[in-house]
Amino acid sequence: MSSHATGTATQRIFIDKQSPKAYHALVQTSEAVRATAADAGLDRAVVELINLRVSQINGCAYCLNVHTRAALRAGETAQRLGVLAAWRDTELFTPAERAALALAEATTEPTDAAAAQETAWADARDVLTDDQISAVIWVAITINAFNRVSIMSKHPVRTER
């Protein structure tokens, strides 16, 4: 057992700093996914909506903080960000955005899967290209991985000034 195991249960290491090669590979994957999404014609704001919705589901405060700022920079409105958790209950999102969000949720919570996944796939097929569907799933997979890194590391959210 390492000497770190004798500390308190809340003592964490930043796994991105502890294993920089693995983290760098994840960052490279994220960059490739971002390029794939752009090549597929997914607007950066849609990518950030996916990042935020998945981070909401996972409860990742650090990623919510980072991607809220990124979404605002990409042109998202405070109103749409404020209702994102209840996107199904508003008409503020386009059919393509709704399909992307449903597919991202199905990717994030695959154990709830069967019916939800089938519905998400059917809806996505109606409004997204195969390249866009693939890109949405890859965006969701990637942010899920970053959520786990930040949650397990307990990355802090610092007050902005």
Side-chain angles (χ1 to χ4, degrees):
M1 195 180 265
S2 76
S3 61
H4 295 294
T6 60
T8 66
T10 59
Q11 190 174 19
R12 305 278 179 107
I13 59 170
F14 287 180
I15 65 169
D16 48 329
K17 305 290 188 239
Q18 188 67 34
S19 305
K21 287 182 184 176
Y23 184 73
H24 182 67
L26 182 57
V27 169
Q28 287 180 312
T29 299
S30 175
E31 291 168 357
V33 167
R34 187 176 304 132
T36 296
D39 291 347
L42 285 181
D43 186 72
R44 181 59 190 254
V46 173
V47 169
E48 293 306 334
L49 286 175
I50 294 165
N51 287 334
L52 282 167
R53 184 63 193 124
V54 169
S55 297
Q56 286 174 338
I57 292 166
N58 290 326
C60 183
Y62 184 83
C63 292
L64 284 166
N65 186 56
V66 167
H67 291 286
T68 295
R69 289 182 300 180
L72 290 168
R73 282 192 309 271
E76 267 308 328
T77 66
Q79 180 188 27
R80 282 170 39 108
L81 295 179
V83 299
L84 180 60
W87 64 267
R88 286 180 176 86
D89 300 324
T90 178
E91 297 299 319
L92 294 177
F93 300 94
T94 69
E97 290 167 339
R98 296 169 78 77
L101 290 167
L103 200 53
E105 287 181 0
T107 302
T108 301
E109 300 181 305
T111 55
D112 294 343
Q117 279 188 16
E118 291 308 317
T119 300
W121 271 98
D123 291 347
R125 284 244 176 247
D126 287 343
V127 293
L128 300 173
T129 67
D130 288 353
D131 286 344
Q132 290 172 329
I133 290 169
S134 180
V136 165
I137 293 169
W138 275 109
V139 170
I141 289 168
T142 306
I143 191 63
N144 269 290
F146 278 110
N147 287 170
R148 272 45 176 195
V149 169
S150 290
I151 290 167
M152 293 307 295
S153 298
K154 285 192 103 35
H155 287 153
V157 177
R158 303 201 194 295
T159 303
E160 294 177 2
R161 296 177 191 216

